[in-house]
Amino acid sequence: MLSTGDARDAASDIGPTLGFLAALLLLADGCRAAGMFDALGAVMAVGARGRPRRLLAMVFLVAAGTTAVLSLDATVVLLTPVVFATAARLRASARPHVYACSHLANSASLLLPVSNLTNLLAFEASGLSFARFAALMALPWLAVIGIEWLVLSGSFRSDLEPSRRPASASRADAPPLPRFALAVVGVALAGFALSSLVGIAPAWVAAAAALALVVREPRSPAALLRAAEPSFLVFVLGLALIVRAAGDHGLQSFVDALVPHGDGLLALLAVAVLSAVFANVLNNLPATLVVLPVAAAGGAGPVLAMLIGVNVGPNLTYVGSLATLLWRRVVHAHDESTDLGEFLRLGALTVPPALLAATFLLWLALRVV
């Protein structure tokens, strides 16, 4: 059991991160209210030109960008239903495109501190600025997306064959992209990059951006409260308290003995692989809370290697991340089934090479950037 003082300290440590997360959730919901995701669906439909493989490429571009900028929850909860509708509109099989949303929600969250809750938790511990974090993770991010493309486009080759009479989308039917929402997101990204330089917590930037969209796209207080997902925030807080208590009773010592120290290539690979294993055994959020204190003692390199493990590794199993569990719920809500064997096969083909490539490029970036 945690003492009252220890519990208060743990809550104080994670409090700013939860505030940041709530602001990001409100920002993503503001983009939804502004019609951004419907417009992105139209952009994907027009860009596909009636061809399933081109649609998959458009989904990759949009899902990777959405995950990086608005977080993986936006990709799973807001973009995946749009992808279902877009595939149906073009009379294409939804399977490859929906699996792309699932995989990229996890693996494409490497790029920015705001892309994933695991990144938010690790950002402060890394000691990096927003811009340097992005610079170090850019090559690993691109490599992982490239591997995902090669595997998914090859595995779903038959689903991506063009039909004899493909449907196409007209530009005249496409709703315009919401310029104000796009501008707010762009200014927020610039603000995140500058916040570290001027000593402003990035949570304030996210809160200001969310407020701008709340004013522009008014919603009821109840809708705003739902968008901030208070039950999820409470869950994360409770999880942090549980992990802190377990750490005080021997778990932290066990992890410290198991996880290698140092920022050499083999050490970083070991950190990434062990973090991926922990993510698939414990889920990526508790895995982050368990491994982060040990990784942070070695500096930025091990922290970022841990993020590669807990962000890419969850594509191996359903339980690897909360995002994947949410994705299954969205898929079932659209009367589509998920096949465990297929999910495991795709994970086995993507996760090992992605872990190796991303960690090697991280090691290289740490010595060059």
Side-chain angles (χ1 to χ4, degrees):
M1 290 289 293
L2 279 178
S3 67
T4 303
D6 288 341
R8 189 183 303 114
D9 289 342
S12 177
D13 289 343
I14 202 171
T17 300
L18 295 181
F20 197 178
L21 176 61
L24 289 175
L25 291 171
L26 286 172
L27 178 60
D29 188 69
C31 291
R32 176 203 59 77
M36 182 180 291
F37 290 93
D38 290 335
L40 288 174
V43 168
M44 289 187 291
V46 170
R49 300 179 186 174
R51 297 183 178 276
R53 184 172 292 272
R54 286 184 64 92
L55 177 59
L56 183 63
M58 296 299 297
V59 170
F60 259 72
L61 289 173
V62 172
T66 299
T67 298
V69 176
L70 294 177
S71 87
L72 77 171
D73 293 315
T75 298
V76 168
V77 177
L78 301 178
L79 183 64
T80 301
V82 172
V83 169
F84 266 113
T86 304
R89 182 181 179 186
L90 299 182
R91 302 172 194 164
S93 169
R95 286 172 62 245
H97 312 98
V98 171
Y99 269 105
C101 288
S102 170
H103 273 237
L104 292 176
N106 289 313
S107 56
S109 67
L110 290 175
L111 184 60
L112 301 176
V114 299
S115 305
N116 197 330
L117 176 56
T118 56
N119 298 21
L120 291 176
L121 291 169
F123 178 47
E124 186 175 352
S126 72
L128 298 170
S129 68
F130 188 95
R132 182 162 170 77
F133 183 107
L136 289 171
M137 295 300 262
L139 285 178
W141 182 71
L142 289 172
V144 168
I145 292 173
I147 290 168
E148 297 281 11
W149 169 261
L150 290 173
V151 172
L152 292 180
S153 63
S155 297
F156 291 105
R157 188 178 299 106
S158 61
D159 293 280
L160 298 175
E161 291 296 327
S163 62
R164 293 184 178 180
R165 299 179 62 184
S168 59
S170 169
R171 291 184 183 273
D173 299 333
L177 284 168
R179 295 182 180 180
F180 182 80
L182 285 173
V184 168
V185 171
V187 170
L189 286 175
F192 291 145
L194 293 173
S195 62
S196 301
L197 302 178
V198 298
I200 298 175
W204 292 110
V205 178
L211 179 61
L213 288 183
V214 167
V215 172
R216 179 78 173 193
E217 305 289 340
R219 282 151 284 162
S220 68
L224 292 174
L225 184 63
R226 287 194 301 271
E229 299 188 31
S231 59
F232 179 59
L233 300 179
V234 171
F235 168 75
V236 174
L237 175 60
L239 194 59
L241 297 177
I242 292 170
V243 171
R244 175 70 69 90
D248 291 346
H249 288 79
L251 179 60
Q252 207 62 64
S253 298
F254 170 76
V255 174
D256 187 56
L258 190 63
V259 175
H261 299 265
D263 61 356
L265 177 58
L266 291 180
L268 294 181
L269 280 171
V271 171
V273 170
L274 285 171
S275 298
V277 171
F278 281 130
N280 285 288
V281 172
L282 302 173
N283 186 269
N284 66 338
L285 185 52
T288 300
L289 294 170
V290 167
V291 179
L292 180 58
V294 177
V303 170
L304 297 182
M306 177 211 68
L307 286 178
I308 291 172
V310 298
N311 290 356
V312 175
N315 280 336
L316 194 58
T317 65
Y318 285 148
V319 299
S321 77
L322 295 172
T324 306
L325 296 175
L326 283 173
W327 172 81
R328 288 190 70 204
R329 186 187 303 173
V330 172
V331 170
H332 292 159
H334 285 79
D335 297 323
E336 289 279 343
S337 61
T338 53
D339 182 81
L340 177 60
E342 184 174 55
F343 192 95
L344 293 174
R345 179 178 62 83
L346 292 172
L349 290 173
T350 55
V351 170
L355 286 177
L356 291 173
T359 307
F360 172 76
L361 290 171
L362 170 64
W363 172 80
L364 189 63
L366 288 166
R367 281 145 183 80
V368 174
V369 175

